[in-house]
């Protein structure tokens, strides 16, 4: 008997034996029945929720604006105030971007009419401050008009030094009080 | 000191001329140079009643009259202890030698009684002590709540008899926020009888009292714009005068028929004249600058005002037609609120130096400046007394803004108000 024939014999025997044993195992091991516990874990919990509230139809910016009273609008201060230098009424560089923003808002709301209030600090006399406050309001108005806002939409008024924002008697208070404020008077 | 002397000599001359002009009765006034205060004896009044109300009223009239005469700077009171050196006053037999011995020039004899209708009767008789001559007498009847007015009227008669303009029944209008927001009020010269005139619940500001004291011109924001109104104090009528643009800082013409004020109705702050009923509006200034704070001269021929045409607020005078404008302020960068003295020779105004405002007086003849306040505060809106010896103004020296009176030389400063903030006083002619 040659070495080759021994190998073939052994291989054939192994294959046969293996096949025999495979078949046997399949028959012996049926699938195990799933246990009671496992079945419980697998059950998904369904969270019970209320139906979502009925949404109100989404409002456009225009509609939100229309729904507000003048008082509510003014409380939100959509138009920012600007400040002035001591004894001066020309528009400062830092006020220009603020006025541009204000003009943009006014263009978006073309029905709005505004009142520009000119105010002064306490370091001016009563009479001269009334004039200076009006000059400030007027300079502010003219800047907005130059940006394309109709002068018919703007009124001006001066309060002189009678309505300070900050009642203090120092540079910080004075700087705050030299201002032009915007009040929406019609929409 | 020099300005002081010049002023006094002017008072003396003016006073004397006035006496010559007004008083044909021969009143001899001795002026020995310096302070021309006339020594007055004001002994206790003689009371012809047992009524405790009358006794109390008599004392009050005496007190008020004494305070008025002290205030005047025209009279000075002989110290009361001197009266004990001489015999008690007998109105039917006045021993003038006695009164002369205690250095009084003038003797006021007051008698108080009650009328049948339970009113108070006050009789004041004024004598020249050296000559023993009766100068004048006055008899007043009124209810006992009018004792202050009776005393003020008597004091005014004293002023008139000595060639002076009456002061004591004059009124001061002003702005107070004591009831929440700025409203117009009125008071006696001594701070008594403060009454509210406007009820607009908005800003009412910069009042001016008419020379006859029956009307107040003022600015109100009642129609959401600073408009000028004239309020008739004793009828309650309010008449709109100028309602276009901003309108403020009125001043009455001396005859009480016109107003001069500042308005931005043309788009810029200019000075205008208008009749007291709002008719015949006429523009006086034509300038790109701010023109404001006009005040009429006592002759009515000129107007002083503030303008920043030179770059900063300065004082100018123009003719009442708007012509002949000339600058009068100098030596400062910020002047405003001019007030022309009733004698026509001076202008009181506010000047800002650093952050302080002080009241200054410019003598138009000598061009000299006298600083009236010096308290490291904001002193504003000066206004002259009808006789030009006192100035009322507002100051924040106490922390709140209150109304003060001071004499032409800055002496005898006293406060008139205390409730809330009180400002922008205007003293009637």
């Amino acid at each position: 008997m040659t070495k080759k024939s021994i190998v073939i014999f052994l291989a054939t025997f192994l294959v046969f034996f293996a096949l025999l044993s495979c078949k046997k195992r399949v028959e012996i091991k049926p699938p195990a029945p799933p246990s009671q516990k496992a079945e419980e874990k697998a059950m998904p919990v369904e969270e019970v929720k209320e139906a979502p509230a009925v949404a109100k139809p989404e409002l456009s910016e225009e509609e939100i604006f229309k729904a507000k009273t003048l008082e509510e609008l003014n409380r939100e201060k959509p138009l920012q105030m600007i400040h002035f230098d001591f004894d001066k009424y020309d528009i400062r560089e830092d006020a220009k971007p603020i006025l541009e923003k204000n003009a943009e808002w006014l263009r978006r709301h073309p029905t709005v009419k505004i009142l520009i209030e000119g105010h002064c600090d306490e370091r001016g006399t009563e009479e001269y401050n009334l004039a200076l406050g009006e000059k400030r309001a007027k300079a502010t108005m003219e800047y907005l008009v130059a940006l394309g806002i109709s002068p018919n939409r703007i009124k001006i008024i001066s309060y002189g030094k009678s309505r300070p924002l900050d009642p203090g008697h120092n540079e910080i208070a004075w700087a705050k009080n030299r201002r032009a404020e915007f009040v929406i008077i019609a929409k | 000191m020099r300005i002081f002397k010049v002023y006094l000599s002017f008072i003396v001359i003016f006073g004397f001329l006035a006496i010559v002009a007004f008083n044909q009765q021969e009143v001899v006034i001795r002026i020995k140079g310096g302070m021309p205060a006339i020594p007055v004896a004001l002994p206790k009044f003689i009371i012809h009643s047992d009524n405790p109300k009358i006794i109390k009223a008599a004392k009050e009239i005496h007190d008020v009259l004494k305070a008025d005469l002290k205030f005047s700077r025209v009279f000075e009171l002989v110290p009361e202890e001197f009266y004990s050196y001489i015999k008690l006053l007998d109105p039917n037999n006045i021993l003038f030698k006695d009164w002369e011995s205690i250095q009084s020039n003038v003797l006021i004899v007051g008698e108080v009684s009650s009328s049948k209708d339970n009113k108070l009767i006050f009789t004041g008789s004024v004598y020249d002590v050296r000559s023993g001559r009766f100068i004048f007498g006055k008899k007043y009847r009124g209810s006992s709540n009018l004792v202050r007015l009776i005393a003020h009227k008597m004091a005014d008669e004293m002023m008139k008899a000595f060639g002076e303009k009456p002061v004591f029944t004059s009124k001061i209008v002003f702005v107070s926020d004591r009831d929440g927001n700025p409203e117009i009020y009125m008071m006696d010269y001594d701070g008594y009888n403060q009454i509210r005139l406007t009820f607009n619940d908005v800003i009412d500001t910069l009042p001016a009292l008419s020379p006859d004291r029956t009307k107040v011109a003022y600015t109100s924001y009642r129609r959401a714009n600073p408009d000028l109104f004239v309020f008739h104090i004793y009828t309650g009528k309010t008449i709109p005068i100028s309602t276009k643009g901003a309108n403020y800082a009125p001043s009455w013409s001396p005859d009480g028929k016109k107003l001069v004020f500042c308005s931005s109705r043309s788009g810029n702050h200019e000075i205008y004249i208008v009749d007291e009923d709002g008719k015949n509006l006429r523009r006086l200034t034509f300038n790109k600058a701010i023109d404001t704070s006009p005040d009429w001269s006592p002759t009515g021929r000129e107007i002083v005002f503030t303008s920043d045409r030179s770059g900063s607020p300065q004082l100018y005078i123009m003719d009442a037609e708007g012509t002949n404008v000339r600058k009068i302020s100098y030596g400062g960068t910020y002047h405003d609120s001019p007030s022309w003295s009733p004698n026509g020779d001076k202008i009181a105004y506010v000047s800002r130096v650093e952050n302080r405002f002080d009241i200054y007086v410019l003598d138009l003849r000598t061009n000299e400046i006298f600083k009236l306040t010096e308290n490291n505060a904001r002193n504003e809106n000066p206004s002259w007394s009808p006789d030009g010896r006192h100035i009322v103004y507002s100051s924040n020296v106490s922390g709140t803004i209150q109304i003060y009176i001071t004499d032409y030389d800055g002496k005898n400063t006293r406060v008139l108000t205390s409730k809330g903030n009180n400002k922008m006083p205007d003293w009637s002619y």
Side-chain angles (χ1 to χ4, degrees), chain B residues 168-227:
Chain B
F168 304 105
T169 53
S170 63
K171 298 275 184 181
I172 295 167
V173 288
F174 60 102
V175 173
S176 178
D177 65 359
R178 65 186 64 180
D179 294 321
N181 65 295
E183 299 278 355
I184 312 295
Y185 289 73
M186 184 166 73
M187 63 182 165
D188 293 353
Y189 94 94
D190 53 9
Y192 278 80
N193 296 322
Q194 300 190 9
I195 49 166
R196 183 171 168 181
L197 298 183
T198 61
F199 297 84
N200 291 321
D201 294 327
V202 290
I203 295 176
D204 292 330
T205 192
L206 289 165
L209 188 57
S210 67
D212 66 359
R213 303 168 204 161
T214 64
K215 287 163 270 180
V216 183
Y218 72 101
T219 294
S220 177
Y221 285 65
R222 61 200 284 185
R223 298 180 185 168
N225 186 62
D227 300 325

Side-chain angles (χ1 to χ4, degrees), chain A residues 86-87 122-132 134-135 138 155 157-159 161-163 169 174, chain B residues 203 206 221 224 246 248 264 267-269 288 290 293 308 334 336-337 352 355 357 378 380-381 423-424:
Chain A
F86 182 42
D87 280 350
E122 61 180 359
R123 292 174 302 166
T125 50
E126 298 284 357
E127 297 96 322
Y128 191 76
N129 263 353
L130 275 173
L132 183 63
E134 192 167 315
K135 286 266 189 189
K138 205 177 168 205
K155 271 194 73 180
I157 198 166
S158 172
Y159 286 107
K161 59 176 169 181
S162 63
R163 288 187 174 176
H169 308 288
W174 294 327
Chain B
I203 295 176
L206 289 165
Y221 285 65
Y248 54 89
S264 65
N268 188 46
H269 291 80
K288 275 185 201 156
I290 293 171
S293 308
D308 65 359
Y334 194 112
D336 193 13
S337 306
R352 184 180 80 192
N355 292 327
F357 293 170
R378 289 203 321 273
E380 278 198 73
N381 295 96
K423 53 189 181 178
M424 305 180 204

Side-chain angles (χ1 to χ4, degrees), chain A residues 125-128, chain B residues 206 292-295 304-306 315 334-340 347-351 359-360 379-383:
Chain A
T125 50
E126 298 284 357
E127 297 96 322
Y128 191 76
Chain B
L206 289 165
T292 185
S293 308
D295 193 43
V304 62
F305 65 103
T306 302
L315 306 182
Y334 194 112
H335 306 299
D336 193 13
S337 306
S339 174
W340 212 314
I347 285 171
Y349 61 96
V350 177
S351 187
I359 312 287
Y360 291 77
N379 305 290
E380 278 198 73
N381 295 96
S383 178

Side-chain angles (χ1 to χ4, degrees), chain B residues 12-125:
Chain B
V12 170
I13 293 162
F14 187 86
F16 187 72
L17 289 177
I19 288 159
V20 170
F22 297 132
N23 249 337
Q24 287 308 313
Q25 18 173 345
E26 286 173 37
V27 181
V28 184
I29 301 169
R30 284 160 290 270
I31 296 162
K32 294 164 188 160
M35 195 63 203
I38 301 160
V40 174
L42 182 66
K44 279 204 176 99
F45 297 154
I46 293 135
I47 303 165
H48 307 287
S49 171
D50 303 325
N51 187 339
K53 259 173 118 179
I54 298 291
I55 295 166
K56 190 173 158 267
K59 190 183 176 304
E60 204 175 340
I61 294 173
H62 191 269
D63 287 348
V64 175
L65 184 54
K66 197 165 87 180
D68 285 355
L69 297 176
K70 250 189 190 164
F71 177 86
S72 71
R73 299 289 296 262
V74 174
F75 307 103
E76 64 182 4
L77 288 156
V78 172
E80 262 166 48
E81 59 266 29
F82 288 9
Y83 305 156
S84 61
Y85 305 153
I86 58 174
K87 282 197 197 86
L88 217 60
L89 178 73
D90 174 3
N92 300 315
N93 183 25
I94 301 170
L95 304 167
F96 287 105
K97 280 274 170 266
D98 276 9
W99 293 98
E100 199 177 344
S101 74
I102 60 165
Q103 266 115 50
S104 61
N105 285 14
V106 175
L107 171 67
I108 302 175
V109 177
E111 294 178 66
V112 181
S113 58
S114 68
S115 66
K116 278 175 200 150
D117 54 354
N118 250 334
K119 281 188 173 167
L120 178 99
I121 296 172
F122 170 77
T123 313
S125 309

Side-chain angles (χ1 to χ4, degrees), chain B residues 341 356 402:
Chain B
S341 76
R356 294 184 292 274
Q402 301 300 341

Side-chain angles (χ1 to χ4, degrees), chain B residues 31 130 244 327:
Chain B
I31 296 162
R130 298 217 182 151
K244 197 178 158 209
K327 188 177 167 209

